[in-house]
Amino acid sequence: MTTYFERIDEQRFIATEAVQGAWNTDEQHIAPVLGLIAHVIERDRIARAGDGLRLSRISYDILGVLPIAEVEIAVRVLRPGRTIELVEATLSHDGRPAVLARAWFLAAGDTTQIAGSALPPFPADGFQPWDGSTVWPGAFIGEAQVDWIPDEPGRARFRVHPTVPLLADEPVSATARTLGFLDIANGISPRLRPEDAHYPNVDLTAHLFREPSGAWIGYDTAVSFGPDGRGLTHTVLHDEHGPFGTSSQSLTVRPR
């Protein structure tokens, strides 16, 4: 069975060809790496203190590119607590830090009676298949199962149907699985095709107000380019039950 990573030991993993990137096919697409980091952080928290806290926000700073090779993840607690905890994780390759992540965990409680959101609803139909191979190279995009409603350049609503497991023979939470696909937003709704400009993201931050569920992840995405080389990809995240959070990516925009 194809997976994105294979576990070597508690901290080390080997990437498979399924993570092949879009900007450079000799490098990893950053999306699966972000899911792997979330998975390791969640496992560390449960091993230390059970699962009484829920991941509320995770921010990733992308410090460099990653070859399709072995990576190592180290986790440390910055702010311990019974109801609020801040955790940091560093993913490295060959001793060089490549991704720095910080995650807030908050205490779970029953707020069913006051739950709700004013975020706009997601379409129930009108989607059509999206063939990523017509825009991007690389195995990660090539294997992605996506349908979408293209509104205009830089604006789209789409659903991603994860089919490749993050790891073999290891349970992965719906949250970690979802976080492993959020970075795809910047490539499915671009303002320009990649042959016209480079616009990689240097970070990704996700805020979650409930656990995602279901067979697909919904994205309501808008991409903005400023006049001086900066950009932003912003997404409201949905599943079949409605919105569950947001994600944002800072872009460095470089016309060709």
Side-chain angles (χ1 to χ4, degrees):
M1 176 175 55
T2 300
T3 63
Y4 291 124
F5 296 94
E6 297 174 0
R7 181 182 286 278
I8 299 173
D9 57 28
E10 193 62 26
Q11 291 187 307
R12 296 183 300 143
F13 304 83
I14 186 77
T16 73
E17 291 297 319
V19 306
Q20 188 181 47
W23 291 110
N24 186 335
T25 55
D26 291 328
E27 299 167 357
Q28 293 190 44
H29 196 294
I30 202 66
V33 161
L34 305 188
L36 180 66
I37 293 171
H39 174 63
V40 172
I41 287 175
E42 285 187 327
R43 275 175 54 98
D44 173 79
R45 227 224 78 76
I46 292 171
R48 288 185 293 102
D51 60 355
L53 303 188
R54 299 290 185 268
L55 183 64
S56 175
R57 188 222 72 186
I58 187 164
S59 61
Y60 302 92
D61 290 307
I62 303 166
L63 308 180
V65 299
L66 280 168
I68 302 173
E70 181 182 318
V71 296
E72 182 175 358
I73 302 175
V75 180
R76 66 185 182 118
V77 179
L78 299 181
R79 194 272 192 195
R82 290 192 298 261
T83 60
I84 298 174
E85 183 173 273
L86 179 62
V87 175
E88 181 178 84
T90 303
L91 180 140
S92 303
H93 163 69
D94 199 22
R96 175 184 61 83
V99 182
L100 178 65
R102 285 191 172 187
W104 280 106
F105 286 87
L106 306 181
D110 185 0
T111 52
T112 305
Q113 296 302 315
I114 58 173
S117 172
L119 291 170
F122 198 65
D125 50 32
F127 294 90
Q128 56 187 284
W130 178 80
D131 183 0
S133 65
T134 65
V135 183
W136 300 97
F140 178 74
I141 295 296
E143 291 292 330
Q145 293 191 12
V146 180
D147 48 31
W148 73 331
I149 301 173
D151 294 292
E152 61 181 90
R155 178 79 176 90
R157 289 162 291 174
F158 52 95
R159 301 179 301 198
V160 174
H161 306 260
T163 58
V164 178
L166 189 65
L167 289 160
D169 304 321
E170 189 168 322
V172 173
S173 74
T175 294
R177 183 196 69 162
T178 297
L179 290 166
F181 282 89
L182 295 192
D183 191 77
I184 204 171
N186 188 44
I188 296 180
S189 52
R191 296 191 64 81
L192 294 172
R193 291 180 65 89
E195 57 264 32
D196 297 323
H198 279 164
Y199 35 89
N201 55 302
V202 297
D203 69 358
L204 186 147
T205 297
H207 290 88
L208 307 176
F209 57 86
R210 67 171 175 84
E211 185 93 357
S213 63
W216 51 265
I217 307 160
Y219 304 66
D220 187 341
T221 297
V223 181
S224 303
F225 291 171
D228 59 1
R230 290 174 292 169
L232 173 69
T233 295
H234 181 268
T235 301
V236 179
L237 301 166
H238 297 259
D239 59 19
E240 60 189 32
H241 304 292
F244 62 85
T246 65
S247 71
S248 58
Q249 298 160 274
S250 300
L251 313 180
T252 173
V253 183
R254 307 166 188 173
R256 291 197 170 191

